[in-house]
Amino acid sequence: MLNSLLSPNTQWVLLSTLILGMAAGMIGCLAYWKRQSLMSDALSHAALPGVVIAFALTGSKNLLVMILGAAVSALIGAWMIQWIRSSSRIKEDTAMGMILSVFFGLGIMLLTIVNRTAGGNQSGLDNFIFGQAASMVRKDVFTMLILAVLVILVVSIGFKEWKLFLFDPDFARGLGLNSRLMNSLYMGVLVLVIVIGIQAVGVILMAAMLIIPAVSARYWTQSFRTMVILSAVFGGGSGFIGTLISTLGKGWPTGPFIVVASSVLFTVSLVFGAEKGLLIQAMQLRSQKKDHTESSNQAVIKPQLSERGNHQ
Amino acid sequence: MTYTGWILLTASLVGLSCGIVGVFLILRRMAMMADAISHTVLLGIVTAFLITRELSGPHMLIGAIVAGLLTAVLVQWFNSRGVQQDASIGVVFTTLFAIGVILIATQVGNAHLDTKHALMGEITFVPWDLMHVPLLGEVPKATFMLGAVLLVVIIVILAFYKEWKITSFDPALAASIGIPVVLMHYVFMSLVSITTVAAFDAVGAIMVVAMLITPAAAAYLWTDKLSTMLVLSGTFGVISAFTGYYIAVWLDTSISGSMAFATGIVFLISFLFSPKHGVLSRYLHKFNTHGSQEKLDGTS
């Protein structure tokens, strides 16, 4: 394990999944409060045809071109979901499911054609389905790092605006905040995180990087700022740990290990979380029961009791 | 029967059973649950394989039902603990799927059960894996399983047709007249799971989602009647299966991928040209009412 830590390439890969996890954790909070957690799943699947087309057109595995292709195809997917939802009676979740599966099917079609024509040599494209962070080269890592840092900056600089935009859109509009612009910016950073994450964790599990850290963080705090920070820590931590574990075995895919690492963090938060965790709730329930039996022993129900009841 | 014949029959069975189940998925607003279950079924299959060390129909079905019900229960439980519905779906299915993929990568060194196969299916191999069935002769295993599942789906839906209708459209009413809504929910989740696992071998996890949701959504645009919608959705499923197969042959590419793509085409046509809910007719309708409104001097 120490050996793998010392290898310079592994260090770069670890750094990039760490930063990627942080960026995904932060954006995940935005998606959580926009109630669009599964949107990220749909968009990451929708990115697949774009990746393949970009590869087919340029004929090389240039990460930047592929990210561009993925972004275009994910944005088309997002636009189509919006279009289907707004101009027919199909509900949003149905529209997401359709775009997800149809785009993915198209991606697989194209992938099969490209793999056949380009020969078995280019099977590296398959990594986009499950992610193989270990196969990234230094240049890819740099591209990912720069984009991830950009995303983190966008969220931190406009933090107050994001908060307004998410929690009180009407007030935000009253203050003259351009909600259309914010919406596009949100979509932009979401797609950016998804497409850079695909390389590391693959299209299928990218959604987990966005959803799980945010949900875990929710168990610890009521403050949005703390939630974003915690979510970034959880995301970064699970990215780091997952990548580390996946380097231990030969041919172990990175994505699933990152997801399982963050699920472990989620379980810990679920049980021990300070705000809504199972343990704290069980303790509250017990103390309430105790209060209740005590007060009923006195045969007088005090008004405090009902107040406490409202508290939980 | 010929090789192509078996493939088309298998794909049509997928289209039919998925199309019928999908109608209720859409009406119950659980489209994304289908996505979730189609992923977690993988864990069920892998676990069943690790326990029994063989890939046989009944074991896989049981594993899939357990995994599907586990997904439904967990999502429900997290949701009742204050996690948003779609976030809890996201947490549950990605986790279970990831565990399944890790188990395959680390425990199962078997060529027959790799993740690529699970995701994309290998319908091209279906006609070679034969079994003997009394009266029918030699039938591919996957086709037989799909036929059995289709039969189960049709029987369960027809037997409780009225109950399904009421629970789908008005759960509160159903509960008030004594229909076991929760039980029906889990029965339905089991139906989705067995349909998914039967279709799994043929078209893989992701295409199952396409087959489940898209034909039903297309049918939803053509009719307001449940029975018509069921028939239409099944028909669209079969049409997509045929179209997809011939597109795949024409372009020499993945059959399951192009079947998923074909469902998209069917939906697009419905979305644009459906007489009642299509984009085009809405546009014309707006145009017409606009004109008549002008005649009425702008009274609305």
Coordinates of all heavy atoms in Angstrom, one line a residue, chain A residues 32 35 37-38 41 83-84 87-91 93-94 98 100-102 104-106 108-109 112-113 116 126 129-130 204 208 211 219 252 256 259-260 263 266 270 276 278 281, chain B residues 26 29 31-32 35 78 81-84 86-87 90 93-95 97-98 101-102 106 115-116 119-120 206 210 213-214 217 220 223-224 251-254 257-258 260-261 267 271 277:
Chain A
Y32 N -29.5 18.8 -4.3 CA -30.4 18.3 -3.3 C -31.5 19.3 -3.0 O -32.7 19.0 -2.9 CB -29.6 18.0 -2.0 CG -30.4 17.4 -0.9 CD1 -30.6 16.0 -0.9 CD2 -30.9 18.2 0.1 CE1 -31.4 15.5 0.2 CE2 -31.7 17.7 1.1 CZ -31.9 16.3 1.1 OH -32.7 15.8 2.1
R35 N -34.1 19.8 -5.4 CA -34.8 18.5 -5.6 C -34.6 17.9 -6.9 O -35.5 17.5 -7.6 CB -36.3 18.8 -5.3 CG -36.5 19.3 -3.9 CD -38.0 19.4 -3.5 NE -38.1 19.7 -2.1 CZ -38.2 18.8 -1.2 NH1 -38.4 17.5 -1.5 NH2 -38.3 19.1 0.1
S37 N -32.0 15.5 -7.4 CA -30.9 14.5 -7.2 C -30.8 13.6 -8.4 O -29.7 13.3 -8.9 CB -31.1 13.8 -6.0 OG -31.1 14.6 -4.9
L38 N -31.9 13.1 -8.9 CA -31.8 12.1 -10.0 C -31.5 12.7 -11.3 O -31.2 12.0 -12.3 CB -33.1 11.3 -10.0 CG -33.2 10.2 -8.9 CD1 -34.5 9.5 -8.9 CD2 -32.0 9.2 -9.0
D41 N -28.2 11.8 -12.4 CA -28.2 10.4 -13.0 C -28.5 10.4 -14.4 O -27.8 9.9 -15.3 CB -29.1 9.5 -12.2 CG -28.9 8.0 -12.5 OD1 -27.8 7.6 -12.7 OD2 -29.9 7.3 -12.6
W83 N -38.2 20.0 -22.2 CA -39.2 20.2 -23.3 C -40.3 19.2 -23.2 O -41.5 19.5 -23.3 CB -38.4 20.0 -24.7 CG -39.2 20.2 -25.9 CD1 -40.1 21.3 -26.1 CD2 -39.2 19.5 -27.1 NE1 -40.7 21.2 -27.3 CE2 -40.1 20.1 -28.0 CE3 -38.6 18.4 -27.6 CZ2 -40.4 19.6 -29.3 CZ3 -38.8 17.9 -28.8 CH2 -39.7 18.5 -29.7
I84 N -40.0 17.9 -23.0 CA -41.0 16.9 -22.8 C -41.9 17.2 -21.6 O -43.1 17.1 -21.7 CB -40.3 15.5 -22.6 CG1 -39.6 15.0 -23.8 CG2 -41.4 14.4 -22.2 CD1 -38.8 13.8 -23.7
S87 N -44.1 20.5 -22.5 CA -45.1 20.5 -23.6 C -45.9 19.2 -23.7 O -46.4 18.9 -24.8 CB -44.4 20.9 -24.9 OG -43.4 20.0 -25.2
S88 N -45.9 18.4 -22.7 CA -46.8 17.2 -22.8 C -47.2 16.9 -21.3 O -46.7 17.5 -20.4 CB -46.2 16.0 -23.5 OG -45.3 15.4 -22.6
R89 N -48.0 15.9 -21.2 CA -48.4 15.5 -19.8 C -47.5 14.5 -19.2 O -47.9 13.9 -18.1 CB -49.9 15.1 -19.8 CG -50.2 13.9 -20.7 CD -51.5 13.4 -20.4 NE -51.9 12.3 -21.2 CZ -53.0 11.5 -20.9 NH1 -53.8 11.8 -19.9 NH2 -53.3 10.5 -21.7
I90 N -46.4 14.2 -19.8 CA -45.4 13.3 -19.2 C -44.8 14.0 -18.0 O -44.4 15.1 -18.1 CB -44.4 13.0 -20.2 CG1 -45.0 12.4 -21.5 CG2 -43.4 12.0 -19.7 CD1 -45.3 11.0 -21.5
K91 N -44.7 13.3 -16.9 CA -44.0 13.8 -15.7 C -42.5 13.9 -15.8 O -42.0 13.1 -16.6 CB -44.5 13.0 -14.5 CG -45.9 13.0 -14.3 CD -46.5 14.3 -13.7 CE -48.0 14.3 -13.6 NZ -48.7 14.0 -14.9
D93 N -40.1 12.7 -13.8 CA -39.3 11.5 -13.6 C -39.4 10.5 -14.8 O -38.4 9.9 -15.1 CB -39.7 10.8 -12.3 CG -41.2 10.3 -12.3 OD1 -42.0 10.9 -13.1 OD2 -41.5 9.3 -11.7
T94 N -40.6 10.5 -15.4 CA -40.7 9.6 -16.6 C -39.8 10.2 -17.7 O -39.1 9.4 -18.4 CB -42.1 9.6 -17.1 OG1 -43.0 9.3 -16.0 CG2 -42.3 8.6 -18.2
M98 N -36.7 8.2 -19.5 CA -36.6 8.0 -20.9 C -35.3 8.5 -21.5 O -34.6 7.8 -22.3 CB -37.8 8.6 -21.6 CG -39.0 7.9 -21.5 SD -40.2 8.5 -22.7 CE -40.4 10.2 -22.2
L100 N -32.5 9.1 -20.1 CA -31.4 8.3 -19.5 C -31.2 7.1 -20.4 O -30.1 6.8 -20.9 CB -31.8 8.0 -18.1 CG -31.0 7.2 -17.1 CD1 -31.4 7.5 -15.7 CD2 -31.2 5.7 -17.3
S101 N -32.3 6.3 -20.5 CA -32.1 5.0 -21.1 C -31.9 5.1 -22.6 O -31.1 4.4 -23.2 CB -33.3 4.1 -20.8 OG -34.5 4.7 -21.1
V102 N -32.6 6.0 -23.3 CA -32.5 6.1 -24.7 C -31.2 6.7 -25.1 O -30.5 6.1 -26.0 CB -33.7 7.0 -25.3 CG1 -33.4 7.2 -26.8 CG2 -35.0 6.3 -25.1
F104 N -28.5 6.4 -23.4 CA -27.5 5.4 -23.0 C -27.5 4.3 -24.1 O -26.4 3.9 -24.5 CB -27.8 4.8 -21.7 CG -26.7 3.9 -21.1 CD1 -25.5 4.5 -20.6 CD2 -26.7 2.6 -21.2 CE1 -24.5 3.7 -20.1 CE2 -25.7 1.8 -20.8 CZ -24.6 2.4 -20.2
G105 N -28.7 4.0 -24.6 CA -28.8 3.0 -25.6 C -28.0 3.5 -26.9 O -27.3 2.7 -27.5
L106 N -28.3 4.7 -27.2 CA -27.6 5.3 -28.4 C -26.1 5.3 -28.2 O -25.3 4.9 -29.1 CB -28.1 6.8 -28.6 CG -27.5 7.5 -29.7 CD1 -27.9 6.9 -31.1 CD2 -27.9 9.0 -29.7
I108 N -24.4 3.2 -26.4 CA -23.9 1.8 -26.5 C -23.8 1.4 -28.0 O -22.8 0.8 -28.5 CB -24.8 0.8 -25.8 CG1 -24.7 1.1 -24.3 CG2 -24.4 -0.6 -26.0 CD1 -23.4 0.7 -23.6
M109 N -24.8 1.8 -28.8 CA -24.8 1.6 -30.2 C -23.5 2.2 -30.8 O -22.8 1.5 -31.6 CB -26.0 2.3 -30.9 CG -27.2 1.5 -31.1 SD -28.5 2.5 -31.7 CE -28.3 2.5 -33.5
T112 N -20.3 0.5 -29.8 CA -20.0 -0.8 -30.4 C -19.5 -0.6 -31.8 O -18.5 -1.2 -32.2 CB -21.3 -1.6 -30.6 OG1 -22.0 -1.5 -29.3 CG2 -21.1 -3.1 -30.9
I113 N -20.0 0.4 -32.5 CA -19.5 0.7 -33.9 C -18.1 1.2 -33.8 O -17.2 0.7 -34.6 CB -20.4 1.8 -34.6 CG1 -21.8 1.2 -34.8 CG2 -19.8 2.2 -35.9 CD1 -22.8 2.2 -35.3
R116 N -15.6 -1.5 -33.0 CA -15.4 -2.4 -34.1 C -14.5 -1.8 -35.2 O -13.6 -2.5 -35.7 CB -16.8 -2.8 -34.7 CG -16.7 -3.7 -35.9 CD -18.1 -4.3 -36.2 NE -19.1 -3.3 -36.1 CZ -19.5 -2.4 -37.1 NH1 -18.8 -2.4 -38.2 NH2 -20.5 -1.6 -37.0
D126 N -14.4 1.9 -22.9 CA -15.3 1.2 -22.0 C -15.2 1.8 -20.6 O -16.1 1.7 -19.8 CB -15.0 -0.3 -22.0 CG -15.5 -0.9 -23.3 OD1 -16.1 -0.2 -24.1 OD2 -15.2 -2.1 -23.5
I129 N -17.8 3.7 -18.8 CA -19.0 3.2 -18.2 C -18.8 2.9 -16.8 O -19.7 3.2 -16.0 CB -19.4 1.9 -19.0 CG1 -19.8 2.3 -20.4 CG2 -20.5 1.2 -18.3 CD1 -20.1 1.1 -21.3
F130 N -17.6 2.4 -16.4 CA -17.4 2.2 -14.9 C -16.3 3.1 -14.3 O -16.2 3.1 -13.1 CB -17.0 0.7 -14.7 CG -18.2 -0.2 -14.7 CD1 -18.3 -1.1 -15.7 CD2 -19.2 0.0 -13.8 CE1 -19.4 -2.0 -15.7 CE2 -20.4 -0.8 -13.9 CZ -20.4 -1.8 -14.8
I204 N -22.4 5.5 -14.9 CA -23.5 4.9 -14.1 C -23.5 5.3 -12.7 O -24.5 5.6 -12.1 CB -23.5 3.4 -14.2 CG1 -23.7 3.0 -15.7 CG2 -24.5 2.7 -13.3 CD1 -23.5 1.5 -16.0
A208 N -24.0 8.9 -7.8 CA -23.8 8.7 -6.4 C -22.9 9.7 -5.8 O -23.1 10.1 -4.6 CB -23.2 7.3 -6.2
I211 N -25.1 12.7 -5.0 CA -26.3 12.5 -4.1 C -25.8 12.1 -2.7 O -26.2 12.8 -1.7 CB -27.2 11.4 -4.6 CG1 -27.7 11.8 -6.0 CG2 -28.4 11.3 -3.7 CD1 -28.5 10.7 -6.7
Y219 N -27.6 15.0 7.7 CA -27.8 14.4 9.0 C -27.1 15.1 10.1 O -27.3 14.9 11.3 CB -27.4 12.9 9.0 CG -28.5 12.0 8.4 CD1 -28.4 11.6 7.1 CD2 -29.6 11.7 9.2 CE1 -29.4 10.8 6.6 CE2 -30.6 10.9 8.6 CZ -30.5 10.5 7.3 OH -31.5 9.7 6.8
W252 N -9.4 -3.6 -10.6 CA -10.6 -3.2 -9.8 C -11.1 -1.9 -10.3 O -10.3 -0.9 -10.3 CB -10.3 -3.2 -8.3 CG -10.1 -4.5 -7.7 CD1 -10.0 -5.7 -8.4 CD2 -9.9 -4.8 -6.3 NE1 -9.9 -6.7 -7.5 CE2 -9.8 -6.3 -6.2 CE3 -9.9 -4.1 -5.2 CZ2 -9.6 -6.9 -5.0 CZ3 -9.7 -4.7 -4.0 CH2 -9.6 -6.1 -3.9
P256 N -17.1 2.0 -8.3 CA -17.9 1.3 -7.3 C -17.2 1.4 -5.9 O -17.9 1.5 -4.9 CB -17.8 -0.2 -7.7 CG -17.7 -0.1 -9.2 CD -16.9 1.1 -9.5
V259 N -18.1 4.7 -4.5 CA -19.5 4.8 -4.0 C -19.7 4.0 -2.7 O -20.4 4.5 -1.8 CB -20.4 4.1 -5.1 CG1 -21.8 4.1 -4.6 CG2 -20.3 5.0 -6.4
V260 N -19.1 2.9 -2.6 CA -19.2 2.1 -1.4 C -18.6 2.9 -0.2 O -19.2 2.9 0.9 CB -18.6 0.7 -1.5 CG1 -18.5 0.0 -0.1 CG2 -19.5 -0.1 -2.4
S263 N -21.0 5.4 0.8 CA -22.2 4.8 1.5 C -21.9 4.4 2.9 O -22.7 4.5 3.8 CB -22.6 3.5 0.7 OG -22.8 3.7 -0.6
F266 N -22.2 7.4 4.7 CA -23.7 7.7 4.8 C -24.3 6.9 6.0 O -25.0 7.5 6.8 CB -24.4 7.4 3.5 CG -25.9 7.4 3.6 CD1 -26.6 8.6 3.8 CD2 -26.6 6.2 3.6 CE1 -28.0 8.6 3.9 CE2 -28.0 6.2 3.7 CZ -28.6 7.4 3.9
L270 N -26.1 8.3 9.2 CA -27.5 7.9 9.4 C -27.7 7.5 10.9 O -28.6 7.9 11.6 CB -27.9 6.8 8.5 CG -29.2 6.1 8.7 CD1 -30.3 7.1 8.2 CD2 -29.3 4.8 8.0
K276 N -30.4 14.5 12.8 CA -31.5 13.6 12.6 C -31.1 12.1 12.6 O -31.8 11.3 12.2 CB -32.2 13.9 11.2 CG -32.7 15.3 11.1 CD -33.7 15.4 10.0 CE -33.1 15.2 8.6 NZ -34.1 15.4 7.5
L278 N -30.2 8.3 13.8 CA -31.1 7.3 14.5 C -30.8 7.3 16.0 O -31.8 7.3 16.8 CB -30.8 5.9 13.9 CG -31.2 5.7 12.5 CD1 -30.9 4.2 12.1 CD2 -32.7 5.9 12.3
Q281 N -32.2 10.3 17.8 CA -33.7 10.3 17.8 C -34.2 9.3 18.8 O -35.1 9.5 19.5 CB -34.2 10.0 16.4 CG -34.2 11.2 15.5 CD -35.0 11.1 14.3 OE1 -35.4 10.0 14.0 NE2 -35.3 12.2 13.6
Chain B
I26 N -45.7 4.2 -14.9 CA -45.9 5.6 -15.3 C -47.0 6.2 -14.5 O -47.0 7.3 -13.9 CB -46.2 5.7 -16.8 CG1 -45.0 5.2 -17.5 CG2 -46.5 7.1 -17.1 CD1 -44.3 6.1 -18.3
R29 N -46.3 7.0 -11.0 CA -45.2 7.9 -10.9 C -44.0 7.3 -10.3 O -43.4 7.8 -9.3 CB -45.6 9.1 -10.1 CG -46.9 9.7 -10.7 CD -47.0 11.2 -10.4 NE -48.2 11.6 -11.1 CZ -49.0 12.6 -10.7 NH1 -48.6 13.3 -9.7 NH2 -50.0 12.9 -11.4
A31 N -41.4 5.9 -12.3 CA -40.5 5.6 -13.4 C -39.1 5.4 -12.9 O -38.4 4.5 -13.3 CB -40.6 6.7 -14.4
M32 N -38.6 6.3 -12.0 CA -37.2 6.2 -11.5 C -37.0 5.0 -10.6 O -35.9 4.5 -10.5 CB -36.8 7.5 -10.8 CG -36.6 8.6 -11.8 SD -35.8 8.3 -13.3 CE -34.0 8.5 -12.8
D35 N -35.7 2.4 -12.8 CA -34.3 2.6 -13.0 C -33.5 2.0 -11.9 O -32.5 1.2 -12.1 CB -34.0 4.1 -13.2 CG -32.5 4.3 -13.4 OD1 -32.0 3.6 -14.2 OD2 -32.0 5.3 -12.9
F78 N -35.9 5.2 4.1 CA -35.2 6.5 4.1 C -36.1 7.7 3.9 O -36.0 8.7 4.5 CB -34.1 6.5 3.0 CG -32.9 5.6 3.3 CD1 -32.4 4.8 2.4 CD2 -32.4 5.6 4.6 CE1 -31.3 4.0 2.7 CE2 -31.3 4.8 4.9 CZ -30.8 4.0 4.0
R81 N -37.7 8.6 6.9 CA -36.8 9.2 7.8 C -36.4 10.6 7.3 O -35.4 11.2 7.8 CB -35.6 8.4 8.0 CG -35.9 7.0 8.5 CD -34.8 6.5 9.4 NE -34.6 7.4 10.6 CZ -35.4 7.4 11.7 NH1 -36.4 6.6 11.8 NH2 -35.1 8.3 12.6
G82 N -37.1 11.2 6.4 CA -36.8 12.6 6.0 C -35.9 12.8 4.9 O -35.5 14.0 4.6
V83 N -35.4 11.8 4.2 CA -34.6 12.0 3.0 C -35.6 12.1 1.8 O -36.6 11.4 1.7 CB -33.7 10.8 2.7 CG1 -32.9 11.0 1.5 CG2 -32.9 10.5 3.9
Q84 N -35.4 13.1 0.9 CA -36.2 13.3 -0.2 C -36.4 12.0 -1.0 O -35.4 11.3 -1.1 CB -35.7 14.4 -1.1 CG -35.7 15.8 -0.6 CD -34.9 16.7 -1.4 OE1 -34.4 16.4 -2.4 NE2 -34.6 17.9 -0.8
D86 N -36.4 11.2 -4.3 CA -35.5 10.9 -5.3 C -34.0 10.8 -4.8 O -33.3 10.0 -5.3 CB -35.6 11.9 -6.5 CG -35.2 13.3 -6.1 OD1 -35.3 13.6 -4.9 OD2 -34.9 14.1 -7.0
A87 N -33.7 11.5 -3.8 CA -32.4 11.4 -3.2 C -32.2 10.0 -2.5 O -31.2 9.4 -2.7 CB -32.1 12.4 -2.1
G90 N -31.6 7.5 -5.2 CA -30.3 7.7 -5.7 C -29.3 7.0 -4.7 O -28.4 6.3 -5.2
F93 N -29.9 2.8 -4.8 CA -29.6 2.0 -6.0 C -28.1 2.1 -6.3 O -27.5 1.1 -6.7 CB -30.5 2.2 -7.2 CG -30.1 3.2 -8.2 CD1 -29.2 2.9 -9.2 CD2 -30.5 4.5 -8.2 CE1 -28.8 3.8 -10.1 CE2 -30.1 5.4 -9.1 CZ -29.2 5.1 -10.1
T94 N -27.5 3.3 -6.2 CA -26.1 3.3 -6.5 C -25.3 2.5 -5.6 O -24.3 1.8 -6.0 CB -25.6 4.8 -6.5 OG1 -26.0 5.4 -5.3 CG2 -26.1 5.6 -7.6
T95 N -25.6 2.5 -4.3 CA -24.9 1.7 -3.4 C -25.0 0.2 -3.7 O -24.0 -0.5 -3.8 CB -25.4 1.9 -1.9 OG1 -25.4 3.3 -1.7 CG2 -24.6 1.2 -0.9
F97 N -25.9 -1.3 -6.4 CA -25.3 -1.6 -7.7 C -23.7 -1.7 -7.6 O -23.1 -2.6 -8.1 CB -25.7 -0.5 -8.7 CG -25.2 -0.8 -10.1 CD1 -25.7 -1.8 -10.9 CD2 -24.1 -0.1 -10.7 CE1 -25.2 -2.1 -12.1 CE2 -23.7 -0.3 -11.9 CZ -24.2 -1.3 -12.7
A98 N -23.2 -0.7 -6.8 CA -21.7 -0.7 -6.7 C -21.3 -1.9 -6.0 O -20.2 -2.5 -6.3 CB -21.3 0.6 -5.9
V101 N -21.2 -4.7 -8.5 CA -20.1 -4.6 -9.4 C -18.8 -5.0 -8.7 O -18.0 -5.8 -9.3 CB -19.9 -3.2 -10.0 CG1 -18.7 -3.1 -10.8 CG2 -21.1 -2.8 -10.8
I102 N -18.6 -4.6 -7.5 CA -17.4 -5.0 -6.7 C -17.4 -6.5 -6.6 O -16.3 -7.2 -6.7 CB -17.4 -4.3 -5.4 CG1 -17.1 -2.8 -5.6 CG2 -16.3 -4.9 -4.5 CD1 -17.0 -2.0 -4.4
T106 N -14.4 -8.8 -7.9 CA -13.4 -9.4 -7.0 C -13.7 -10.9 -6.7 O -12.8 -11.7 -6.6 CB -13.4 -8.7 -5.6 OG1 -14.8 -8.8 -5.1 CG2 -13.0 -7.3 -5.7
T115 N -19.7 -7.7 -15.9 CA -20.6 -6.5 -15.8 C -21.1 -6.0 -17.1 O -22.2 -5.5 -17.2 CB -19.8 -5.4 -15.1 OG1 -18.5 -5.3 -15.6 CG2 -19.8 -5.6 -13.6
K116 N -20.3 -6.2 -18.2 CA -20.7 -5.7 -19.5 C -21.9 -6.4 -20.0 O -22.9 -5.9 -20.4 CB -19.5 -5.9 -20.4 CG -19.3 -4.7 -21.3 CD -18.1 -4.9 -22.2 CE -18.4 -4.3 -23.6 NZ -17.4 -4.5 -24.5
L119 N -24.9 -5.3 -18.1 CA -25.4 -4.0 -18.5 C -26.1 -4.0 -19.9 O -27.0 -3.2 -20.2 CB -24.3 -3.0 -18.5 CG -24.0 -2.4 -17.1 CD1 -22.9 -1.5 -17.2 CD2 -25.2 -1.7 -16.5
M120 N -25.5 -4.7 -20.8 CA -25.9 -4.6 -22.2 C -26.6 -5.8 -22.7 O -27.3 -5.8 -23.7 CB -24.7 -4.3 -23.1 CG -24.1 -3.0 -22.8 SD -22.5 -2.9 -23.4 CE -21.7 -1.9 -22.2
I206 N -29.7 -1.5 -18.5 CA -30.1 -0.1 -18.8 C -31.3 -0.1 -19.9 O -32.2 0.7 -19.8 CB -28.9 0.7 -19.4 CG1 -27.7 0.5 -18.5 CG2 -29.3 2.2 -19.6 CD1 -27.8 1.3 -17.2
A210 N -35.4 1.5 -20.6 CA -35.9 2.0 -21.8 C -37.2 1.3 -22.2 O -38.3 1.9 -22.5 CB -34.9 1.9 -23.0
I213 N -40.1 2.1 -19.6 CA -40.7 3.4 -19.4 C -41.2 4.0 -20.8 O -42.3 4.5 -20.9 CB -39.7 4.4 -18.8 CG1 -39.2 3.9 -17.5 CG2 -40.3 5.8 -18.7 CD1 -38.2 4.7 -16.9
T214 N -40.3 3.9 -21.8 CA -40.6 4.7 -23.0 C -41.9 4.2 -23.8 O -42.7 5.1 -24.1 CB -39.4 4.6 -23.9 OG1 -38.2 4.7 -23.1 CG2 -39.4 5.8 -24.8
A217 N -44.8 5.5 -21.9 CA -45.0 6.9 -22.0 C -45.6 7.3 -23.3 O -46.4 8.2 -23.4 CB -43.6 7.6 -21.7
Y220 N -49.2 6.6 -23.3 CA -49.9 7.6 -22.5 C -50.3 8.8 -23.2 O -51.2 9.5 -22.9 CB -48.9 8.0 -21.3 CG -49.5 8.8 -20.2 CD1 -50.8 8.4 -19.6 CD2 -48.9 9.8 -19.7 CE1 -51.3 9.1 -18.6 CE2 -49.4 10.6 -18.6 CZ -50.6 10.2 -18.1 OH -51.2 10.9 -17.0
T223 N -53.8 7.9 -25.5 CA -55.1 7.5 -25.0 C -55.3 7.9 -23.6 O -54.4 8.2 -22.8 CB -55.3 5.9 -25.1 OG1 -56.5 5.6 -24.5 CG2 -54.2 5.2 -24.4
D224 N -56.6 7.9 -23.1 CA -56.9 8.2 -21.7 C -57.5 6.9 -21.1 O -58.0 7.0 -20.0 CB -58.0 9.3 -21.6 CG -57.3 10.6 -22.0 OD1 -56.1 10.7 -21.8 OD2 -58.0 11.5 -22.5
L251 N -26.7 -1.6 -39.2 CA -25.5 -0.9 -38.8 C -24.5 -1.8 -38.2 O -23.4 -1.4 -37.9 CB -25.9 0.2 -37.8 CG -26.7 1.4 -38.3 CD1 -27.0 2.3 -37.1 CD2 -25.9 2.2 -39.3
D252 N -24.8 -3.1 -38.0 CA -23.9 -4.0 -37.4 C -23.4 -3.5 -36.0 O -22.3 -3.2 -35.8 CB -22.7 -4.3 -38.2 CG -21.9 -5.5 -37.7 OD1 -22.4 -6.1 -36.7 OD2 -20.7 -5.7 -38.1
T253 N -24.4 -3.3 -35.1 CA -24.1 -2.8 -33.8 C -24.8 -3.5 -32.7 O -25.5 -4.6 -33.0 CB -24.3 -1.3 -33.7 OG1 -24.0 -0.8 -32.4 CG2 -25.8 -1.0 -34.0
S254 N -24.7 -3.0 -31.5 CA -25.4 -3.7 -30.3 C -26.9 -3.7 -30.5 O -27.5 -2.7 -30.7 CB -25.0 -2.9 -29.1 OG -26.0 -3.1 -28.1
G257 N -28.8 -2.0 -27.5 CA -28.6 -0.5 -27.6 C -29.6 0.0 -28.6 O -30.3 1.0 -28.4
S258 N -29.7 -0.6 -29.8 CA -30.5 0.0 -30.8 C -32.0 -0.3 -30.5 O -32.8 0.5 -30.9 CB -30.2 -0.5 -32.2 OG -30.2 -1.9 -32.2
A260 N -33.2 0.1 -27.4 CA -33.5 1.2 -26.6 C -33.7 2.5 -27.4 O -34.6 3.3 -27.2 CB -32.3 1.4 -25.6
F261 N -32.8 2.6 -28.4 CA -32.9 3.8 -29.3 C -34.2 3.8 -30.0 O -34.9 4.8 -30.2 CB -31.7 3.8 -30.2 CG -31.7 5.0 -31.1 CD1 -31.5 6.2 -30.6 CD2 -31.8 4.8 -32.5 CE1 -31.5 7.3 -31.4 CE2 -31.7 5.9 -33.3 CZ -31.6 7.2 -32.8
F267 N -41.3 7.0 -29.2 CA -41.8 8.0 -28.4 C -41.8 9.4 -29.1 O -42.7 10.1 -29.0 CB -41.0 8.1 -27.1 CG -41.4 9.3 -26.2 CD1 -42.6 9.2 -25.4 CD2 -40.7 10.5 -26.2 CE1 -43.0 10.2 -24.7 CE2 -41.2 11.5 -25.5 CZ -42.3 11.4 -24.7
F271 N -44.8 11.8 -29.5 CA -44.7 13.1 -28.9 C -45.0 14.2 -29.9 O -45.6 15.2 -29.5 CB -43.2 13.3 -28.3 CG -43.0 14.6 -27.6 CD1 -43.7 14.9 -26.5 CD2 -42.0 15.4 -28.1 CE1 -43.4 16.1 -25.8 CE2 -41.7 16.6 -27.4 CZ -42.4 16.9 -26.3
H277 N -52.3 14.8 -27.5 CA -51.3 15.4 -26.6 C -50.0 15.7 -27.3 O -49.0 16.0 -26.7 CB -51.0 14.5 -25.4 CG -52.3 14.2 -24.6 ND1 -52.8 15.0 -23.7 CD2 -53.0 13.1 -24.6 CE1 -53.9 14.5 -23.2 NE2 -54.1 13.3 -23.7

